[in-house]
Amino acid sequence: MTITCGFEAQRFINPLVKNLPPSGIRRFFDLVASTRGVISLGVGEPDFVTPWHIREACVQSLERGYTMYTSNYGLPELRQAIAGYLAERFGLSYDPQKQVMVTIGASEAVDLALRTVINPGDEVLIPEPCYVSYRPITQLAGGVPVTVPTTMADEFALTAARLEKYITPRTKVLILCFPNNPTGAVLNEAEMQAIAALVKKYNLLVISDEIYAELRYDGPPRSFAALPGMQERTILVSGFSKAFAMTGWRVGYVAAHPDFLAAMVKIHQYTILCAPVMGQMAALEALRHGRQDVQRMVAEYDRRRRLVVSRLREMGLECFEPRGAFYVFPSIKVTGLTSTQFAEELLKEEKVAVVPGPAFGSSGEGFIRCSYATSLAELTEAMNRMERFVARRLAFKHRAVAHA
């Protein structure tokens, strides 16, 4: 390609897009890609392969000629299965024809929800640390992201008392993601009830990202939409990536009031049209026959979770015990390093990749995210390497203090 002399492509780029920072996760993993022998605790996806019967359903659908478009809303039988799952698992009642839509992963569903309801200048409350996409897609929708910090002292749960301090007359939406990425925190029933009371009091809308709902270790999954009076105020987002080990399939869904769905599908039909039909057929098989697969994977994640939390504490790092998802979020403040310094030096010296906490917002400084969605053998070796690294840093810090 010949580039015309004097042509300035930057002049044509939307300033809002130009000023968006790159993902802190992806920027860090550019370093990982150039380093051999790395054990990665950074990738937020299951290490399990999608169960064979789910893959086989996709293969069989292709053999039967399922290569066409579907309805913008998705396959009717998949929407019926999603509505059935939400009813059985959470006691929620959705009309599969008018209140359920299949999307390209849960991420598209969150984006659609924000673009549907946000007017320029509307404020969106985002508990932090949080998934890296929430702030930029809020800005792209014309909204103003308002982050609400959570703390280790509160087990990274969002409290109603803290949340209320950030509500203003311009607040319109609250994004919830519990179990949480990156902390593994969950909300108990009392906390959810208190937040629901604020949602009613201030007439807010909730976008509840429940992609990790099935990955919970302290009891059955809960949905914010199932609280009294919350279903009509909640745009429920979920998908198949995490629980069914289907990250690359990019199949998610949204369930909401029919007026929200009717508006969201307008954006969806002009930008995406529909999720790939073969992925939808695989998702249908997952819902119909994949429950035991989920139970098996959750039991294995639980084993790994207990191992990693125990090892991190033994090496001297303060670590909240996650109740969901497949991440731990230990404090590394005792080492005297920043989160980025810790991650970069750990990668350089011991070839273990973790994600610096600030990738998930400024309140993540002093922490790192480690994913335990990898084998026990690799987790054990990664903990051995990290223990050596922490021991060296603590010894150096103590010597520096002694000579001060």
Side-chain angles (χ1 to χ4, degrees):
M1 175 181 177
T2 301
I3 299 177
T4 304
C5 181
F7 178 74
E8 298 180 24
Q10 289 290 328
R11 293 181 58 236
F12 292 86
I13 298 174
N14 184 324
L16 177 59
V17 176
K18 187 186 298 186
N19 293 327
L20 283 180
S23 166
I25 296 178
R26 297 304 163 194
R27 184 173 59 223
F28 180 74
F29 277 94
D30 286 343
L31 296 174
V32 175
S34 62
T35 307
R36 289 187 175 184
V38 173
I39 298 177
S40 178
L41 306 184
V43 179
E45 67 174 335
D47 61 313
F48 299 105
V49 175
T50 304
W52 168 244
H53 66 97
I54 298 174
R55 288 179 281 149
E56 186 177 38
C58 173
V59 172
Q60 290 178 352
S61 75
L62 289 169
E63 291 176 341
R64 295 199 304 270
Y66 278 81
T67 58
M68 67 292 289
Y69 292 131
T70 71
S71 158
N72 297 138
Y73 284 92
L75 284 171
E77 53 265 53
L78 177 56
R79 285 147 51 203
Q80 183 73 51
I82 291 168
Y85 163 78
L86 293 173
E88 175 192 348
R89 204 72 170 127
F90 304 107
L92 294 165
S93 178
Y94 290 101
D95 180 346
Q97 301 304 313
K98 298 180 180 179
Q99 293 184 271
V100 177
M101 182 170 67
V102 182
T103 59
I104 303 295
S107 294
E108 190 216 351
V110 176
D111 182 50
L112 288 176
L114 286 167
R115 286 201 279 167
T116 296
V117 303
I118 292 299
N119 293 315
D122 286 342
E123 292 180 354
V124 178
L125 298 172
I126 306 173
E128 191 187 89
C130 64
Y131 178 51
V132 296
S133 292
Y134 295 150
R135 177 191 284 268
I137 62 177
T138 295
Q139 293 173 307
L140 289 171
V144 179
V146 177
T147 55
V148 183
T150 61
T151 66
M152 182 181 281
D154 292 323
E155 297 188 333
F156 292 109
L158 177 65
T159 65
R162 183 181 294 269
L163 176 64
E164 190 167 22
K165 295 177 181 178
Y166 291 83
I167 297 175
T168 76
R170 303 210 65 164
T171 304
K172 188 172 189 178
V173 173
L174 166 64
I175 297 179
L176 294 177
C177 179
F178 293 94
N180 179 263
N181 173 13
T183 65
V186 300
L187 295 179
N188 62 38
E189 192 69 22
E191 289 162 344
M192 290 199 299
Q193 292 281 4
I195 292 169
L198 288 183
V199 169
K200 290 180 181 178
K201 178 180 178 180
Y202 293 100
N203 193 28
L204 304 180
L205 178 69
V206 175
I207 298 174
S208 186
D209 184 348
E210 301 183 5
I211 190 67
Y212 292 99
E214 288 288 351
L215 306 185
R216 187 154 180 168
Y217 311 107
D218 64 340
R222 302 180 180 94
S223 174
F224 190 83
L227 295 173
M230 286 299 105
Q231 183 168 340
E232 65 181 8
R233 290 182 175 273
T234 301
I235 297 177
L236 188 160
V237 169
S238 193
F240 299 85
S241 294
K242 310 300 183 179
F244 294 97
M246 295 177 65
T247 51
W249 297 81
R250 309 311 303 136
V251 183
Y253 59 86
V254 56
H257 189 284
D259 289 350
F260 290 136
L261 258 291
M264 291 172 71
V265 76
K266 293 178 184 179
I267 305 172
H268 179 70
Q269 68 187 2
Y270 288 127
T271 56
I272 299 297
L273 188 63
C274 65
V277 62
M278 59 287 295
Q280 293 191 54
M281 294 296 288
L284 180 60
E285 170 66 18
L287 283 181
R288 286 178 172 172
H289 302 116
R291 190 64 57 84
Q292 289 187 335
D293 299 309
V294 175
Q295 294 171 349
R296 173 179 56 82
M297 288 186 279
V298 170
E300 180 60 21
Y301 290 141
D302 192 23
R303 288 179 61 204
R304 300 171 182 182
R305 175 182 72 102
R306 288 182 274 113
L307 167 72
V308 172
V309 170
S310 175
R311 290 294 305 274
L312 290 170
R313 288 174 174 173
E314 287 173 3
M315 68 181 74
L317 299 181
E318 186 178 4
C319 185
F320 152 76
E321 181 179 341
R323 304 292 198 278
F326 39 57
Y327 309 106
V328 291
F329 203 64
S331 170
I332 50 83
K333 296 175 184 177
V334 68
T335 66
L337 300 173
T338 67
S339 297
T340 299
Q341 287 171 338
F342 186 100
E344 290 180 351
E345 293 181 20
L346 177 64
L347 177 62
K348 180 180 178 181
E349 296 180 21
E350 293 289 352
K351 296 188 177 181
V352 174
V354 297
V355 182
F360 308 99
S362 59
S363 60
E365 181 54 64
F367 297 86
I368 56 170
R369 189 191 78 173
C370 306
S371 169
Y372 48 87
T374 190
S375 71
L376 273 175
E378 287 218 318
L379 283 173
T380 299
E381 176 59 22
M383 290 299 102
N384 291 341
R385 296 182 186 186
M386 190 181 296
E387 186 172 39
R388 291 196 299 264
F389 175 80
V390 171
R392 289 196 300 272
R393 286 298 173 273
L394 292 180
F396 177 81
K397 181 180 177 183
H398 293 154
R399 287 196 300 271
V401 170
H403 289 93

